[in-house]
Amino acid sequence: MTATAARQQSVVWAAQRLRADLLSLMPVDVFRKVGRINVAVPTPQVLQTPSMWADGQPMTIGEWLSTSQMDLDAHGNAFGVIRQVDGLGKPALIDLVKIDTVSCTVRDNRIVSYRIGGEKTDPRFVWHERQFTIPGFPLGLSPIAHAALSIAGSAGAQKFATDWFASGAMPSAHLRNVDQAIPDPTKALMIKQHFLESTTAGEPFVSGKDWEYKPLTAKAAESGFIEQMQYTDAALTRFFGVPGDMVDVQTSTGSVTYANITQRNMQLLVMNMGGAVKRREDAISTRILPSARFAKLNRSAVLAMDPATRAELFKIQIESRQIAPSEARELEDRVPFTEEQYAEFDRLFGSRTSNPSNTPPVGQS
């Protein structure tokens, strides 16, 4: 088994690709609260080009969000190295790293250090996002791993949760003493036995020194979980929170129809992607921005409407005085009306203003 074995089901890749693509379409807007109003402020450079492919080749925020989202959905974690900080000590350059090169040292359910490419790295200089967390474990889980640990409808599923990292020809994980070697083979065997007894029973493993645990076959186990449980494409889309019809999966009720595109996209962004988007907003806000500011991924950028629905929305907003006509035109990437255009409207539809003397009082006709 390889790290990509779980993606042999095309629907798994399609779901991950859809979620990553949607994140990449959302610009990152920054606000600060003034009274009860959110006021837009300039977006820092790190939220426009957070990384560099090479000198003169910036990695845009869309690429960065898409790449890290793929790792979040595939592994439950996304890692990066903070190469530069600004005057406030906040990240100014974040280079994403392959998750296969990262291991963590955990003490009392807290990550005390990271190793990236074999080099010990201070947690302050590691960008770490996680999703689908469980109590007492400081790392995230992929949707499939989370499902494997959460589904307890039968004894078989429960047994799988305890034997999740079981494998045949290769060890399932590497348990290594971080501070010193263990020269005595008898002592090493005793520690291994103690570790296996604790984890098999679902209990915490207690040791006197710091230990580094690096799973070797997690992705292979996920692939085995898919194969063993014989989950259909429709069930796999539920794990990733993606409607089946959006990745060409037939549903039991046949094709799904919607009144318009807006309702369809609204369901996807709110019900399916809402949690993932909010987690990313929180990570960016708390780690990159000063405390008085916060980030929001612009969902409206992907909330496409059919032309008739969009025109009706603008009409309602203008008539209810929520926006001005010039604002609606700006949202449509159109320049404001000129005086010549206003005069043409007046010739076609009458004057823009009514005569106050001919306007009846309110309540009279």
Side-chain angles (χ1 to χ4, degrees):
M1 292 291 184
T2 65
T4 59
R7 297 187 189 181
Q8 291 179 352
Q9 291 269 2
S10 63
V11 68
V12 174
W13 174 84
Q16 293 177 2
R17 190 270 309 162
L18 176 63
R19 288 165 59 89
D21 280 352
L22 286 175
L23 260 295
S24 72
L25 292 174
M26 299 182 188
V28 181
D29 298 326
V30 180
F31 300 88
R32 64 182 179 89
K33 190 171 287 293
V34 178
R36 297 183 179 181
I37 300 176
N38 296 335
V39 179
V41 297
T43 303
Q45 190 63 37
V46 67
L47 295 182
Q48 301 177 47
T49 53
S51 183
M52 299 287 288
W53 290 111
D55 289 342
Q57 299 182 24
M59 186 181 195
T60 65
I61 187 64
E63 292 176 296
W64 192 88
L65 287 171
S66 174
T67 304
S68 52
Q69 188 63 40
M70 287 292 285
D71 267 358
L72 283 169
D73 286 338
H75 306 277
N77 301 272
F79 296 98
V81 176
I82 300 173
R83 304 290 187 188
Q84 296 178 10
V85 296
D86 59 19
L88 298 175
K90 297 291 186 178
L93 186 68
I94 307 171
D95 290 339
L96 299 175
V97 297
K98 290 181 61 177
I99 196 168
D100 295 340
T101 66
V102 181
S103 60
C104 308
T105 301
V106 179
R107 179 192 303 157
D108 297 329
N109 298 328
R110 291 171 59 88
I111 299 174
V112 296
S113 69
Y114 295 84
R115 287 187 180 273
I116 300 177
E119 181 180 349
K120 189 173 181 179
T121 307
D122 191 303
R124 292 177 299 171
F125 302 109
V126 176
W127 178 266
H128 182 189
E129 291 185 71
R130 55 185 68 79
Q131 69 175 4
F132 299 122
T133 55
I134 58 176
F137 189 58
L139 296 171
L141 299 174
S142 73
I144 295 174
H146 193 252
L149 293 175
S150 301
I151 297 174
S154 65
Q158 293 175 354
K159 184 176 185 302
F160 174 83
T162 59
D163 297 335
W164 186 38
F165 289 107
S167 64
M170 64 180 296
S172 62
H174 179 200
L175 181 66
R176 182 174 70 88
N177 188 285
V178 177
D179 293 335
Q180 60 184 354
I182 302 178
D184 186 358
T186 303
K187 185 177 180 181
L189 183 62
M190 292 174 57
I191 292 173
K192 183 181 76 170
Q193 186 65 28
H194 173 48
F195 176 78
L196 290 175
E197 290 175 356
S198 298
T199 56
T200 301
E203 299 176 354
F205 171 65
V206 181
S207 63
K209 293 287 186 180
D210 294 341
W211 291 84
E212 182 180 271
Y213 182 72
K214 184 175 182 180
L216 302 178
T217 58
K219 297 305 294 180
E222 291 178 16
S223 180
F225 174 68
I226 295 174
E227 181 178 355
Q228 178 182 353
M229 304 303 287
Q230 295 182 343
Y231 278 111
T232 63
D233 285 352
L236 290 172
T237 60
R238 297 190 193 105
F239 293 159
F240 285 92
V242 173
D245 61 294
M246 298 209 71
V247 288
D248 299 325
V249 171
Q250 290 290 333
T251 62
S252 59
T253 56
S255 60
V256 181
T257 59
Y258 292 84
N260 55 49
I261 298 174
T262 304
Q263 292 182 9
R264 185 70 184 92
N265 292 344
M266 181 69 74
Q267 183 212 8
L268 177 64
L269 291 177
V270 175
M271 301 299 295
N272 301 108
M273 290 287 295
V277 173
K278 182 62 166 61
R279 285 191 294 269
R280 308 227 54 184
E281 290 175 342
D282 291 344
I284 292 171
S285 298
T286 55
R287 293 209 59 187
I288 293 181
L289 297 175
S291 57
R293 302 186 178 190
F294 59 94
K296 293 184 72 66
L297 295 178
N298 192 340
R299 298 161 176 81
S300 298
V302 294
L303 190 59
M305 303 181 188
D306 60 272
T309 303
R310 190 173 180 86
E312 182 64 23
L313 174 63
F314 286 146
K315 180 176 182 294
I316 294 173
Q317 290 179 327
I318 291 172
E319 291 179 348
S320 61
R321 306 300 193 269
Q322 296 183 54
I323 63 174
S326 57
E327 293 177 297
R329 290 185 62 81
E330 184 178 355
L331 291 172
E332 289 285 88
D333 297 323
R334 300 187 179 193
V335 298
F337 284 129
T338 63
E339 287 301 320
E340 290 77 9
Q341 289 173 315
Y342 278 127
E344 184 175 348
F345 278 125
D346 289 344
R347 292 196 302 271
L348 293 174
F349 305 108
S351 176
R352 282 172 281 167
T353 58
S354 59
N355 188 344
S357 62
N358 296 329
T359 303
V362 176
Q364 298 183 15
S365 57

